[in-house]
């Protein structure tokens, strides 16, 4: 059995005020697990994206998160759960006035290629391949190789 306390975990804020990665501390091998606290205006990911090999599930414990897809929008409130299939574009945000507390789970742990629904300004390709680096997020166009750093 592995056990951790959220209070003891390091915070890795990027686009959310609180983002704690539980995957490594719990020695998870088949899924990814993250804890979030989103202040108004915060996002789980920072943009419309998809993981080509990973389904994602979000359990909202407090507040209301708004999830946007390419075609729709849904509000997920406290004690509600939403699932996104591999290849399904989504972005979850706190568009409200109260803090959102949520847990995100992804399986399998290796999410494969992550795509951002940001069209290439050089060649017009539909998406960029996203890679999280120590300095932020790097988006590379699969068609022309144009790189955008965020």
């Amino acid at each position: 059995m592995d056990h951790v306390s959220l209070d003891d975990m390091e915070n890795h804020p990027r686009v959310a005020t609180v983002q704690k990665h539980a995957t490594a501390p719990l020695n998870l091998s088949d899924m990814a697990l993250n804890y979030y606290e989103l202040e108004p205006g915060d996002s789980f990911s920072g943009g419309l994206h998809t993981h080509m090999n990973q389904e994602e599930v979000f359990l909202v414990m407090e507040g209301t998160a708004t999830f946007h897809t390419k075609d729709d929008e849904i509000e997920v409130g406290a004690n509600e759960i939403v699932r996104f299939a591999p290849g399904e574009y989504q972005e979850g945000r706190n568009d409200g006035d109260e803090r959102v507390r949520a847990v995100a789970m992804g399986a399998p742990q290796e999410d494969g290629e992550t795509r951002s629904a940001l069209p290439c300004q050089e060649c017009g390709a539909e998406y960029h391949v996203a890679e999280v680096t120590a300095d932020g997020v790097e988006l590379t166009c699969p068609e022309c190789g144009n790189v955008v750093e965020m």
Side-chain angles (χ1 to χ4, degrees):
M1 177 189 317
D2 294 305
H3 174 262
V4 294
S5 168
L6 287 174
D7 294 335
D8 295 337
M9 294 174 62
E10 186 176 342
N11 187 24
H12 298 275
R14 195 168 51 86
V15 291
T17 301
V18 175
Q19 182 174 350
K20 297 186 176 188
H21 306 292
T23 305
L26 288 172
N27 296 308
L28 298 175
S29 60
D30 297 320
M31 66 179 287
L33 180 65
N34 295 300
Y35 171 79
Y36 293 91
E37 292 181 19
L38 281 63
E39 293 295 335
D42 283 356
S43 168
F44 290 103
S45 63
L48 195 62
H49 75 287
T50 185
H51 302 287
M52 298 307 292
N53 296 336
Q54 185 184 68
E55 64 183 332
E56 292 183 281
V57 175
F58 294 84
L59 165 61
V60 176
M61 299 177 304
E62 180 181 306
T64 300
T66 304
F67 288 88
H68 300 266
T69 66
K70 282 188 167 184
D71 303 317
D72 205 2
E73 171 181 307
I74 185 171
E75 289 187 347
V76 180
N79 301 316
E80 294 182 341
I81 303 168
V82 64
R83 174 198 174 262
F84 297 96
E88 185 175 5
Y89 281 91
Q90 59 86 11
E91 178 189 14
R93 298 193 309 239
N94 181 355
D95 290 340
D97 297 327
E98 297 180 14
R99 178 178 282 234
V100 170
R101 289 180 51 241
V103 173
M105 298 156 274
Q109 188 181 98
E110 290 297 319
D111 56 7
E113 183 176 273
T114 300
R115 295 181 180 181
S116 172
L118 179 68
C120 181
Q121 293 188 6
E122 295 293 320
C123 73
E126 180 179 312
Y127 67 90
H128 282 78
V129 176
E131 181 179 347
V132 178
T133 67
D135 298 325
V137 177
E138 184 175 285
L139 304 175
T140 305
C141 176
E143 299 294 325
C144 72
N146 181 49
V147 175
V148 177
E149 293 183 18
M150 302 178 82

